[in-house]
Amino acid sequence: MSGGWKSCPKPPKKRRRTPYDEIVELCNLPPEIKELLPRRWERYGDVVILKLPKELTSYEREVGRLYAEVLGANLVLVDEGGVRGLTRCPVVRVIYGEESEAFHKENRLIYNFDPIRIMFSSGNIDERIYVAELLKGSGDRRWVVWDLFAGIGYFSLPAGREVKGGAVVSVEINPLAYYYLIKNLVFNEITDRTIPVLGDNSKVIVPGTADLTISGYFVEEGWEEHVARVCSLLKPEGGLILYHFLAKKKELELRLAMLLKRFSRELLNRNLDVAEHRCRRVKSYAPLVYHYVLEVLARPTKGQKPSGEDWASLYK
Ligand SMILES: C[S@@+](CC[C@H](N)C(=O)[O-])C[C@H]1O[C@@H](n2cnc3c(N)ncnc32)[C@H](O)[C@@H]1O
């Protein structure tokens, strides 16, 4: 008889019980309805946002209570799809809890907002981090950043945290978003380097003052004038533009060509050139439509003596 230890077959790995499993377990609805319970949700602090198929509408109170209980949320909203109007007001409905503010933590920053009246796009997280990293990695450069569609500080907060010895000007037209912007500048302790402005960016910009301009809104109507405004903001020694836009994948090349032509023309009016450009896809926005960012590095035209710092160092 051979002695020694026999190797035992490994017990099958136990899958960890997820909050979704718990929701399904606790749910008393008919099985065909249970199957439709959302497996994913957005979470901003104590607020949960769900997308519900229409078959669940008549059970939504119960569904809201269930998600609140399992996820420990005090407000559950149903996302009816999209955002409304110039101020990008979300289309949501309360299915559980009292109206309350969200305190969302991301990248060591706090975003406070009213989730019923103010949008937050979790899909833009990489772009918010990108802005922080860009400024962080830029050495001693004292950036002056203009955030033209500041909202509650989506980009102004990461920029404000990393801007060293420079400043961020945050322009927002909606008084409610502006109210939260100011609160967020205070909560994140960056009021000493941020200048919030309540107003229309087409009226308040100061030409020739920016190292970095962020245009984080999809301007469709009047985009040509908007590009002109964005370019006019840059300092004579040039700078960087982050320009957000929407496009269908198959129309991207054409759209980019049109944008770049416009940027080149407007920059040339200020003796600047498109020295480099690149385009990033941020997220899927709608069926076949994507959210992109065009990054334009502008430098003085050849023959012009570059004044100020050398922007090339950014793109090493
Ligand atoms: C909600 S943000 C867009 C998304 C955001 N960049 C993100 O990352 O999630 C757009 C903001 O621009 C503001 N806005 C729209 N038109 C404006 C204008 N002409 N001047 C200043 N702010 C404007 C809206 O009120 C809104 O708060």
Side-chain angles (χ1 to χ4, degrees), residues 83 85-89 118-125 127-128 147-155 170-175 177-178 197-204 214-219 226 229 244 282-283 291:
V83 283
L86 178 84
T87 59
R88 318 301 273 167
C89 181
I118 300 281
M119 62 154 280
F120 193 94
S121 177
S122 53
N124 293 355
I125 181 169
E127 200 51 34
R128 290 189 284 274
D147 184 3
L148 292 178
F149 299 95
I152 61 165
Y154 311 103
F155 299 121
S170 314
V171 188
E172 173 51 47
I173 202 167
N174 174 9
Y178 178 76
V197 178
L198 175 61
D200 181 344
N201 62 38
S202 67
K203 304 204 172 95
V204 301
I214 305 172
S215 175
Y217 183 77
F218 313 126
V219 178
H226 183 64
R229 208 171 295 130
H244 293 235
V282 177
K283 64 177 189 288
H291 170 178

